[in-house]
Amino acid sequence: MIKNIALDGPAGAGKSTIAKLIAKKLNYIYVDTGAMYRAMALFMLRRGVDINDEKAIIDAAKEAEIEIRYEDGVQCVILNGENVNDYIRTEEVSNAASKTSVVREVRERLVALQQSLAAKENVVMDGRDIGTKVLPDAYLKVFMTASADVRAKRRYDENISKGMECDLEQIKQEIIERDNRDTTRKESPLVKAWDAVELDTSEMSIEQVVEKIISMM
Ligand code: DC
């Protein structure tokens, strides 16, 4: 029996770190849905598409072919044949993804891809609408949160450790703006599914969060 785990929550709540560790412990496949929205946004940026123009996004998206492959257990997002993992983690792409992901046509295609991955084997999938829309029958749904200050600091530390220059206050402002867009958009806004367990990780260590979620399985 397939026992999928849906992990939703705002940017910087720690979803991907936690999801990767859970996948390793339970021998599950980790599906990072944000990476798919990011690849779509990268496509638009490279094309010079105006990311505030919905019609232009819908037209351009028809030419973006997105696939997922796994290499040594790592998810690779393939955009028109190219592995774009190394290009989708910039703040520019983050902000663009939050805008292009409001478009229904973009979501429909990526949701279909996500559902087909989850139908084949056990997955731990993270995103914004996994428990509500992508996997409404998931075995376990967790809604992870943390304060905006904690999330901004985590993103800041992550960027610094990768040698990326950044400004803490600016990251916090961008997180707040992105939360606002993600929770108020018309298509699949970020909301807790009625049957999801809410977990505030502000004061929890990574290990504590992983143990807590595994104990719910
Ligand atoms: O989780 P992330 O930061 O990689 O996501 C990037 C953007 O993609 C985020 O602003 C919201 C969007 N997203 C979405 O709309 N639905 C998902 N299932 C995952 C991400």
Side-chain angles (χ1 to χ4, degrees):
M1 180 193 149
I2 298 238
K3 283 185 169 185
N4 289 321
I5 304 174
L7 212 53
D8 289 299
K15 299 184 298 292
S16 66
T17 305
I18 300 299
K20 277 181 206 156
L21 290 168
I22 291 175
K24 217 176 199 164
K25 284 210 171 186
L26 299 181
N27 201 20
Y28 272 36
I29 301 278
Y30 166 49
V31 182
D32 171 1
T33 64
M36 302 177 193
Y37 290 96
R38 287 167 180 271
M40 191 60 94
L42 177 70
F43 177 81
M44 301 297 161
L45 291 172
R46 282 178 170 178
R47 278 273 175 119
V49 172
D50 176 358
I51 51 168
N52 297 304
D53 181 344
E54 183 167 325
K55 178 153 186 333
I57 292 173
I58 294 171
D59 282 345
K62 291 178 189 141
E63 287 170 53
E65 198 58 55
I66 292 175
E67 296 160 84
I68 296 295
R69 267 183 228 146
Y70 289 87
E71 285 174 18
D72 299 327
V74 175
Q75 172 182 298
C76 301
V77 187
I78 313 295
L79 171 63
N80 292 338
E82 176 193 1
N83 177 349
V84 291
N85 274 17
D86 289 345
Y87 310 109
I88 57 176
R89 297 287 153 201
T90 64
E91 291 303 314
E92 187 192 17
V93 173
S94 296
N95 293 321
S98 161
K99 290 186 178 171
T100 55
S101 62
V102 304
V103 179
R104 183 163 54 94
E105 285 76 358
V106 167
R107 303 201 68 83
E108 281 173 355
R109 281 190 36 201
L110 297 183
V111 166
L113 173 61
Q114 293 152 15
Q115 288 173 333
S116 71
L117 290 168
K120 280 184 254 168
E121 44 204 322
N122 284 323
V123 300
V124 46
M125 185 179 285
D126 77 352
R128 304 293 189 285
D129 58 343
I130 312 306
T132 52
K133 175 103 193 205
V134 182
L135 305 177
D137 299 324
Y139 182 79
L140 175 66
K141 300 180 185 179
V142 179
F143 193 81
M144 277 177 64
T145 60
S147 70
D149 279 314
V150 167
R151 290 185 286 130
K153 182 68 169 54
R154 286 178 185 164
R155 203 33 70 96
Y156 173 84
D157 290 342
E158 188 185 333
N159 289 352
I160 294 291
S161 73
K162 287 183 198 154
M164 280 160 68
E165 254 182 59
C166 58
D167 177 76
L168 182 58
E169 195 46 40
Q170 188 187 344
I171 290 181
K172 186 177 162 194
Q173 282 318 312
E174 284 174 356
I175 278 188
I176 291 170
E177 277 169 37
R178 221 181 307 156
D179 282 356
N180 194 31
R181 263 199 304 272
D182 294 348
T183 52
T184 58
R185 69 181 179 213
K186 223 169 81 214
E187 284 298 326
S188 306
L190 169 67
V191 291
K192 178 184 152 321
W194 69 271
D195 52 351
V197 179
E198 185 160 353
L199 203 57
D200 184 336
T201 69
S202 302
E203 308 289 330
M204 291 172 83
S205 70
I206 291 171
E207 292 72 26
Q208 284 171 330
V209 179
V210 171
E211 287 310 316
K212 179 89 193 162
I213 294 176
I214 288 181
S215 75
M216 296 179 212
M217 287 298 286

